[in-house]
Amino acid sequence: MFDLSTVKGIIFDYGGTIDSNGAHWAEVLWDAYQDVNVPVTKEAFREAYVYGERYLATHPDVQPDHNFYDLLKIKTDLQIGYLKEQKMLDDNDKTAGYSLVISKQCYNFAKEIISKEKVILKALRDRYPMVLVSNFYGNVQAVLGDFGLLEFFDDIIESAVVGVRKPDPAIFGLGVDKLNLPASSIVVIGDSHAKDIVPASKNGCQTIWLKGPGWGDDDENATADIVITDFMELKDIFQLN
């Protein structure tokens, strides 16, 4: 059970939590595909999205200095390329520009959301030590720096760097160690029940689940100490001015 009076530190997830207000990035990208009128089904897009994620898990295309726009461009290039190779999308001058437009739209989407959240992050940072724990591609420092977020975190635990990925509870254990606090006095805030809330709970942390448009991978009965649907609800939860 969440008890504000006992909270001494915070662990934040990044992707899907801070950069999209709880929306799974597959859903954000799909919205952009629809806005740009890419003529593919959602099923085809999902297949291309999974292909891209699996490819990046084994190929070092993402470099440490790549910001979020660079990452989005790499991802959408892989997706569009896959859709063309599988004959799900025509290869012509029009489709050649899809990746650029989608990447820009999604980058601006994240930038706008983050700009609104900074007042909350600053207020929390003024009160608590904070660590970020994220499954990422080795470039989260560059991403955070580009968005002006580095100042809010005392340390960053990135899966590609430490060699442990969510939902392994050990990656949250590293976050607990960095805070050097009892796990029961730490609250973990994340958008994925399976990858954030469950492993955080196994470490004995309190949990806040930012539940947004997911990808159908969370149990319908899943819950946390607190469930919110908007990042800005943290203002009331933590009684911030």
Side-chain angles (χ1 to χ4, degrees):
M1 180 177 293
F2 181 79
D3 182 354
L4 180 60
S5 68
T6 67
V7 174
K8 304 300 181 185
I10 299 175
I11 294 176
F12 265 104
D13 168 56
Y14 177 68
T17 300
I18 294 175
D19 61 359
S20 67
N21 198 18
H24 192 292
W25 265 99
E27 295 296 333
V28 177
L29 282 161
W30 173 241
D31 286 345
Y33 270 65
Q34 291 183 295
D35 289 344
V36 179
N37 296 315
V38 181
V40 295
T41 64
K42 190 171 186 179
E43 181 179 15
F45 162 74
R46 287 175 68 105
E47 188 175 318
Y49 179 86
V50 170
Y51 164 79
E53 294 302 301
R54 289 177 176 171
Y55 178 92
L56 290 177
T58 56
H59 295 76
D61 291 35
V62 180
Q63 298 300 305
D65 63 340
H66 283 159
N67 67 15
F68 194 52
Y69 171 76
D70 299 326
L71 175 58
L72 286 166
K73 187 64 167 53
I74 291 168
K75 286 190 171 193
T76 50
D77 280 343
L78 286 168
Q79 294 161 14
I80 297 296
Y82 177 86
L83 291 166
K84 291 178 179 179
E85 290 174 5
Q86 299 300 315
K87 309 300 182 185
M88 298 175 180
L89 185 65
D90 292 336
D91 189 353
N92 53 44
D93 291 342
K94 183 177 181 181
T95 59
Y98 283 149
S99 180
L100 182 64
V101 177
I102 291 168
S103 300
K104 285 183 176 179
Q105 177 172 322
C106 290
Y107 177 80
N108 289 332
F109 166 85
K111 188 174 183 179
E112 181 177 355
I113 283 177
I114 289 169
S115 68
K116 295 176 181 176
E117 295 172 344
K118 283 184 178 179
V119 64
I120 301 293
L121 290 168
K122 183 181 185 308
L124 289 172
R125 181 66 185 87
D126 288 345
R127 189 179 297 180
Y128 305 103
M130 301 205 303
V131 168
L132 186 138
V133 173
S134 181
N135 281 354
F136 225 75
Y137 306 88
N139 67 319
V140 78
Q141 292 266 358
V143 171
L144 296 175
D146 181 49
F147 284 137
L149 293 171
L150 284 173
E151 64 184 283
F152 300 119
F153 299 101
D154 296 280
D155 218 317
I156 295 166
I157 310 296
E158 182 181 8
S159 61
V161 175
V162 300
V164 183
R165 289 182 61 83
K166 305 173 187 179
D168 189 334
I171 194 168
F172 283 102
L174 293 175
V176 171
D177 290 344
K178 290 293 184 182
L179 286 171
N180 194 27
L181 292 167
S184 60
S185 68
I186 297 170
V187 60
V188 172
I189 303 170
D191 71 298
S192 171
H193 189 269
K195 294 180 180 179
D196 297 317
I197 305 307
V198 171
S201 297
K202 288 181 178 178
N203 276 279
C205 299
Q206 300 182 56
T207 56
I208 297 176
W209 180 18
L210 175 55
K211 186 178 181 181
W215 219 23
D217 54 355
D218 283 320
D219 190 296
E220 62 180 16
N221 296 316
T223 190
D225 293 326
I226 293 181
V227 180
I228 59 176
T229 57
D230 189 329
F231 189 96
M232 304 307 286
E233 292 178 59
L234 294 175
K235 181 178 181 180
D236 291 334
I237 291 170
F238 286 93
Q239 301 173 15
L240 305 174
N241 294 326

